[in-house]
Amino acid sequence: MNESDLSLSYNFTPEEIKLLAKFFRRNQESLPDGLFAFLSAIERTIYNALPMKEVATFYS
């Protein structure tokens, strides 16, 4: 298998981003290291989309 064939482009819906953000936050201790960049991208998206006050509510 050629590693370069393992590429994926996908446009996440807002609902998918919210679900992934909450899932990653709840399971961050057990996520493989290889998903850290993806987790960071999802969290950046949440932090850029919501005021800080709403981020705390979102993750609670």
Side-chain angles (χ1 to χ4, degrees), residues 13 19 21 24 37 39 43 45 51-52:
T13 66
L19 288 168
F24 284 157
L39 173 144
E43 286 201 339
T45 301
M52 283 306 265

Side-chain angles (χ1 to χ4, degrees), residues 41-57:
I42 294 292
E43 286 201 339
R44 261 193 320 276
T45 301
I46 294 297
Y47 279 93
N48 289 333
L50 299 173
M52 283 306 265
K53 188 175 185 179
E54 289 182 34
V55 169
T57 303

Side-chain angles (χ1 to χ4, degrees), residues 7-39:
S7 179
L8 173 69
S9 294
Y10 183 84
N11 291 318
F12 293 92
T13 66
E15 186 60 27
E16 289 171 326
I17 292 170
K18 289 188 261 183
L19 288 168
L20 282 167
K22 288 181 179 183
F23 176 81
F24 284 157
R25 181 61 65 100
R26 283 190 305 266
N27 297 287
Q28 62 188 359
E29 298 297 321
S30 60
L31 290 176
D33 290 338
L35 289 178
F36 183 74
F38 185 47
L39 173 144

